[in-house]
Each structure stands twice: as structure tokens, then as C-alpha cells.
Amino acid sequence: MDIETIGARLALEDLAGRYARAIDRRDMELLRSVYHPDAIDEHGTAYQGGVDGFIAAMPALMGNYEVTQHQIHSKVFAIEGDKADGELYFTAYHRTSESARHLVVHGRYLDNYEKREGAWKIAYRRLVWDAILSQDVLEEDARLLDMLGENGAAADDYSYRCLPLMPRGG
């Protein structure tokens, strides 16, 4: 593997991590930064269309979730010049606010990337949903989580106080 391919792969892996952080922190500026302006996102039946519409739909799509955690697992990339394809396996945890449920979704991001003006970004993203698990949040689990210390949250997450080099939007 040559140095340019290694650099591209590292950039694409960083892109995947920034996407997960943006979704979980509800950081729309950071989310926008992982897509090209003319990108398309096919998020199953939840959303299909341009990136501006996807970002505008985010508050409604994520509004019922108190906490989310998107984890990117296996990543396979095919890179040719300034274009790349990727299949990224993910697990996305969601804890609902109102009905107190744990929802865990397993699936894959099928991505087309392009390097424009020196930056790799998503040009087209399609989701494949492979499995979902759902269960009630038990009261004792919530108490235990509170007892452990800082809990995950969206815009006011503890990470913004601890990681000064990773501010909102960055």
C-alpha cells in the first residue's frame, strides 16, 4: 500500500469518527463538515435527500433520544485516486426519553467518497439496517449509571469541558 493510499484511508477513518461524534453530540456544524455540499444521504425511510435537508431533519429525527452512541466497527475501503467506496459496519445505541427504552441498531453505511480541494468527504451515503434490539430501561440501571459519574449527553456533553482541542463544530 503506497503512502497516498494510507493517507486516504486514515482520512476516511477520521471522517467516520467525526460523523459519529457529530450525530451523538448533535453538532450540526461538525456533521456538515463530513459531507460535500451536494452530497446525498439515504437514511432508510427516515430521510432521503440532500445534506442540507438531512441536517435540517436531525432535530426531529433525534428529538426522542436522550442519549445516542454510534460506534463504527469494521471498515473496508476501496480507493482509486480521488474517489473511494466504503462499507462501514455500525452499532447505534439510542435511549428514548419518553418511553424509557434501549434501542440498539446494527447496520452498515455504504459510502461513496470524493476528495475535493484536498479534503475527503462523503458524496453519497446509503444505510443498510441489519438488526434491531429493544428493551425497557430498568430503574436500577438508571440509578447505577448516575452513581458511576458523568453520563453521555448531546450538546452539553462532558467531553466539551474535558477536550479543549475538540470544540463544537471542530
Side-chain angles (χ1 to χ4, degrees):
M1 192 178 304
D2 64 28
I3 194 73
E4 284 185 35
T5 303
I6 292 169
R9 181 175 173 78
L10 288 172
L12 295 172
E13 288 183 3
D14 181 67
L15 197 64
R18 288 188 294 126
Y19 173 84
R21 180 174 173 78
I23 292 292
D24 293 335
R25 302 286 72 81
R26 314 300 192 265
D27 187 337
M28 297 305 108
E29 186 179 340
L30 181 58
L31 182 61
R32 184 178 300 284
S33 77
V34 303
Y35 288 93
H36 285 295
D38 59 345
I40 302 294
D41 193 303
E42 290 184 13
H43 237 76
T45 59
Y47 180 81
Q48 294 185 18
V51 68
D52 290 333
F54 180 59
I55 290 169
M58 264 297 130
L61 291 173
M62 302 301 278
N64 188 41
Y65 302 121
E66 186 175 49
V67 172
T68 60
Q69 187 183 81
H70 288 69
Q71 300 172 18
I72 311 294
H73 306 292
S74 299
K75 299 176 285 285
V76 179
F77 299 107
I79 302 164
E80 289 187 11
D82 289 344
K83 294 191 182 287
D85 291 337
E87 182 174 31
L88 289 68
Y89 286 72
F90 71 86
T91 299
Y93 168 80
H94 306 74
R95 185 173 69 224
T96 62
S97 305
E98 295 175 17
S99 60
R101 303 279 298 164
H102 297 289
L103 303 174
V104 181
V105 179
H106 301 275
R108 292 168 282 140
Y109 299 115
L110 306 179
D111 292 337
N112 304 116
Y113 307 98
E114 293 179 8
K115 183 179 180 183
R116 300 180 194 168
E117 298 176 13
W120 285 100
K121 295 186 181 187
I122 298 167
Y124 207 115
R125 166 163 279 179
R126 298 160 197 86
L127 264 64
V128 173
W129 310 93
D130 292 323
I132 188 167
L133 305 169
S134 175
Q135 70 182 49
D136 292 332
V137 174
L138 302 177
E139 212 173 292
E140 56 266 27
D141 291 344
R143 280 195 305 271
L144 177 60
L145 189 60
D146 285 339
M147 197 173 72
L148 291 172
E150 284 290 337
N151 287 233
D156 62 344
D157 189 76
Y158 189 46
S159 66
Y160 293 117
R161 296 188 302 277
C162 297
L163 305 172
L165 298 179
M166 297 173 68
R168 287 190 71 72

